[in-house]
Amino acid sequence: MFIDAVHFAPHGLIDVKALDCDFLACSSYKFFGPHMGTLYGKREHLEKFKPYKVRPATNTSPECWETGTQVQELIAGIGAAVDYLAELGRHCDPGVKNRREALQAAYRADTPIRNRIADQIDLRAASYSRNAHLRHHRCEAT
């Protein structure tokens, strides 16, 4: 099973073991990181498939899937984005014991804000839809 988690990643923790997915992809720009994709793959699949790669690249998995020069700045940026979210979580709940708990605290703190935004979007969308419907009927009447 392949999961595209790009839209979920900024809203909750992802546990690939609990999902039991074969592959999962997301991009860190959705959670304050740089524009760089990430891919999780079960080792058994990464070793079974053979990537198209340049000759000097290693044949060992998972490195064989990362041919070329890695962009270390972006990799560091992803780590910094996760650390930033964890620090927000530590600010919201000083009693957290590790980074995962800190991330959980950050997502819990963010939920009411996201719900308020979603409610506002729903209200505006309903208003826009109603007004568009009324404009459409006025145009038909003339």
Side-chain angles (χ1 to χ4, degrees):
M1 169 180 23
F2 178 88
I3 298 176
D4 179 351
V6 71
H7 294 293
F8 179 77
H11 304 290
L13 293 176
I14 298 171
D15 185 342
V16 292
K17 288 184 181 180
L19 292 169
D20 193 29
C21 59
D22 298 312
F23 297 95
L24 184 135
C26 76
S27 182
S28 63
Y29 80 93
K30 291 287 192 169
F31 52 88
F32 309 119
H35 282 264
M36 183 176 195
T38 60
L39 174 69
Y40 160 83
K42 283 185 177 174
R43 184 169 296 279
E44 64 192 75
H45 298 307
L46 294 176
E47 291 174 352
K48 182 172 72 173
F49 300 126
K50 298 298 173 209
Y52 178 77
K53 60 184 191 60
V54 294
R55 197 174 304 153
T58 182
N59 287 321
T60 17
S61 191
E63 292 83 8
C64 63
W65 292 95
E66 301 171 355
T67 61
T69 303
Q70 295 181 21
V71 186
Q72 300 297 325
E73 300 86 5
L74 297 182
I75 295 169
I78 292 172
V82 173
D83 289 343
Y84 170 73
L85 291 173
E87 189 57 34
L88 288 176
R90 286 183 192 95
H91 179 75
C92 296
D93 182 357
V96 298
K97 295 178 179 47
N98 56 49
R99 186 163 75 166
R100 186 159 186 88
E101 287 181 8
L103 291 168
Q104 288 170 327
Y107 285 125
R108 276 194 309 272
D110 185 46
T111 299
I113 296 166
R114 283 186 282 117
N115 289 343
R116 271 199 312 265
I117 292 169
D119 290 344
Q120 289 299 314
I121 291 170
D122 287 345
L123 289 172
R124 290 180 183 154
S127 173
Y128 175 79
S129 177
R130 184 183 69 244
N131 290 340
H133 177 72
L134 292 173
R135 281 193 300 275
H136 175 72
H137 286 292
R138 276 187 286 219
C139 291
E140 285 181 347
T142 56

